[in-house]
Amino acid sequence: MLKPILQGSKIGVITPSSSIDAPEQIRNGLRYLAELGYDLKLGNFVFDEKNHFSGTPQQRAEDIMNFFSNPDISAIVATAGGYGSQAVLPYLDYDIIKQNPKPIMGFSDI
């Protein structure tokens, strides 16, 4: 069973597909979540850009798996969805995800 995401909880932030078109809007959203009392941890490739994506499929999957593997992370939030998120699927470790269930939320393909 998933636990509530309480103030002070650590939330992992990922960009699993297309790169961010408006980074300042994302920063405003992150600032808002921080003001609500959440401790945000950004993935390594949140603001990256490689051929219209936020990193290679392997890099984007690495961000996802780092947060599923980290017991201090209570939830994962995607900055954007969109074309390209399906490319990370072969690089995810579904056993680790199953052993460490947490909410993953976001927009579009998430």
Side-chain angles (χ1 to χ4, degrees), residues 43-55:
N44 294 322
F45 304 99
V46 168
F47 294 106
D48 217 24
E49 186 173 343
K50 288 187 177 42
N51 299 323
H52 183 65
F53 299 107
S54 64

Side-chain angles (χ1 to χ4, degrees), residues 25-105:
Q25 288 180 343
I26 299 301
R27 287 185 181 93
N28 289 340
L30 296 174
R31 192 170 20 260
Y32 176 72
L33 289 173
E35 288 170 2
L36 291 176
Y38 296 105
D39 183 6
L40 304 175
K41 304 297 180 195
L42 298 183
N44 294 322
F45 304 99
V46 168
F47 294 106
D48 217 24
E49 186 173 343
K50 288 187 177 42
N51 299 323
H52 183 65
F53 299 107
S54 64
T56 66
Q58 296 89 336
Q59 290 169 325
R60 293 179 276 146
E62 178 184 316
D63 273 353
I64 295 167
M65 293 312 306
N66 284 341
F67 290 134
F68 270 107
S69 299
N70 185 337
D72 294 331
I73 298 294
S74 298
I76 301 170
V77 173
T79 61
Y83 172 77
S85 60
Q86 75 281 3
V88 304
L89 297 177
Y91 304 103
L92 299 178
D93 186 327
Y94 295 98
D95 289 330
I96 289 175
I97 292 171
K98 184 177 179 180
Q99 294 166 11
N100 300 283
K102 34 192 100 173
I104 182 167
M105 53 200 117

